[in-house]
Amino acid sequence: YGNCKCRCEDSRAVQSSCTDLFYAEKNGDTYGTPTPLKGNLNGSYHDGVVTFSPDKNTMYFTRNDSKSKDRLNLKLYSAKKDGERWTMTKMLPFNSDTFNSAHPTMSRDGKTLYFSSNRPGTLGEMDIWKVQKNGEEWGTPVNLGPTINTEKNEIFPYFSDDDVLYFSSEA
């Protein structure tokens, strides 16, 4: 997201998206031409960092809801797959206009979403949080604590296939 501020100062870029969600078909070791995902996913500003449910029928992603060039307001959204299109895009219930939530990654069992946030209770600038999903209901986000988080930024959490949590830290 860091490079987009300059691009968005161009009035043409403000009217279109700075970052959008794309896909490319893989053929052997090469990929085809990226095309925007089908459906109502891409908003007016930043859309990015995606994770999927284990069955690949639900997508969770970050969207910038801010209309300000000077401030990001990152929130987490979900969308459902309907054939080749993504529909039913909705904001997750634990977002707020007063803090950012971004960079989702889903546990392999599909029951826990991990993400970065600067919400109240954060130990540093951005911390890694988790929230449980039970059916269609979400629990209350929980900070992963000082074993993971520092006084700096912890962002871009990712679970590997062998259940190891990777993330980026400024510490």
Side-chain angles (χ1 to χ4, degrees), residues 10-170:
D10 177 347
S11 63
R12 291 170 294 151
V14 170
Q15 293 171 2
S16 65
S17 296
C18 291
T19 59
D20 279 336
L21 301 175
F22 285 75
Y23 76 97
E25 296 285 334
K26 185 175 182 181
N27 298 314
D29 292 336
T30 62
Y31 288 89
T33 303
T35 56
L37 288 170
K38 295 176 182 167
N40 61 344
L41 288 175
N42 293 313
S44 299
Y45 304 103
H46 301 293
D47 297 294
V49 184
V50 173
T51 192
F52 296 91
S53 61
D55 65 6
K56 307 291 189 238
N57 288 321
T58 304
M59 174 193 312
Y60 302 96
F61 63 98
T62 304
R63 173 175 287 165
N64 179 19
D65 278 350
S66 179
K67 294 176 177 66
S68 169
K69 292 182 208 175
D70 301 321
R71 179 175 93 74
L72 294 178
N73 189 14
L74 304 175
K75 296 180 181 175
L76 297 175
Y77 282 77
S78 67
K80 300 283 186 184
K81 190 170 186 180
D82 183 10
E84 292 187 14
R85 300 183 64 76
W86 291 95
T87 63
M88 297 175 34
T89 301
K90 65 180 181 179
M91 186 178 2
L92 298 185
F94 48 86
N95 289 292
S96 173
D97 289 337
T98 61
F99 54 78
N100 293 310
S101 295
H103 316 138
T105 189
M106 180 63 73
S107 62
R108 286 177 27 146
D109 65 7
K111 295 180 180 178
T112 308
L113 187 72
Y114 293 80
F115 61 97
S116 297
S117 183
N118 62 349
R119 65 186 52 240
T122 296
L123 304 176
E125 296 174 27
M126 291 281 282
D127 281 358
I128 307 294
W129 292 75
K130 69 178 181 177
V131 63
Q132 300 292 101
K133 186 171 194 240
N134 187 5
E136 294 299 312
E137 300 295 317
W138 292 97
T140 301
V142 175
N143 189 298
L144 292 190
T147 303
I148 299 291
N149 295 307
T150 70
E151 70 282 351
K152 301 283 186 176
N153 283 310
E154 278 68 48
I155 55 176
F156 299 110
Y158 172 77
F159 262 102
S160 66
D161 288 341
D162 54 353
D163 275 342
V164 175
L165 175 65
Y166 293 92
F167 58 94
S168 177
S169 177
E170 290 182 331

